[in-house]
Amino acid sequence: MFGIFKKRTYQIDFSEDNKEQFTTLLTEIHEILRDSAYSAQANWMMQILSTVDKEDQEGFKSKVISAELLGGAGSVVDVYLDDEESRNRLGYLMNTFLRLVIKSGLNHRAVKSRIY
């Protein structure tokens, strides 16, 4: 009737430039998480990278807009690293990644709410 219950669809831009940026960001985030013993979160980032490689729009959306990435305690965005340099680098990379997600077409309120 008014579109209240209409499921919103997103078109993700998997252009070569965006795929290259996603790959760079996700790989570095994965490495920081892996080296800091956050293996579950590191694995989640590799799953997102896999959806980018396959250009799987639905998979990408479901992996990005998830409790594992954007949720509360234990999610990737809420990881706390003791090493200040790594913590700052991870925060920068996550913000850059989330901005790229929005720029690429997944303009979702859950993504916007996690950018700082």
Side-chain angles (χ1 to χ4, degrees), residues 100-111:
L100 181 59
V101 166
I102 290 169
K103 182 184 136 212
S104 297
L106 187 52
N107 193 8
H108 193 277
R109 63 183 165 83
V111 177

Side-chain angles (χ1 to χ4, degrees), residues 23-46 75-97 116:
T23 300
T24 302
L25 289 166
L26 291 168
T27 302
E28 189 170 351
I29 292 168
H30 169 264
E31 290 170 356
I32 291 171
L33 293 169
R34 181 199 63 208
D35 294 346
S36 302
Y38 284 98
S39 57
Q41 291 84 351
N43 181 45
W44 195 256
M45 301 314 288
M46 284 294 95
S75 67
V76 176
V77 295
D78 285 335
V79 162
Y80 180 82
L81 303 176
D82 289 330
D83 178 52
E84 185 177 358
E85 185 178 329
S86 295
R87 183 174 58 242
N88 291 339
R89 182 68 182 159
L90 181 62
Y92 170 78
L93 291 169
M94 283 304 302
N95 278 330
T96 305
F97 169 71
Y116 57 92

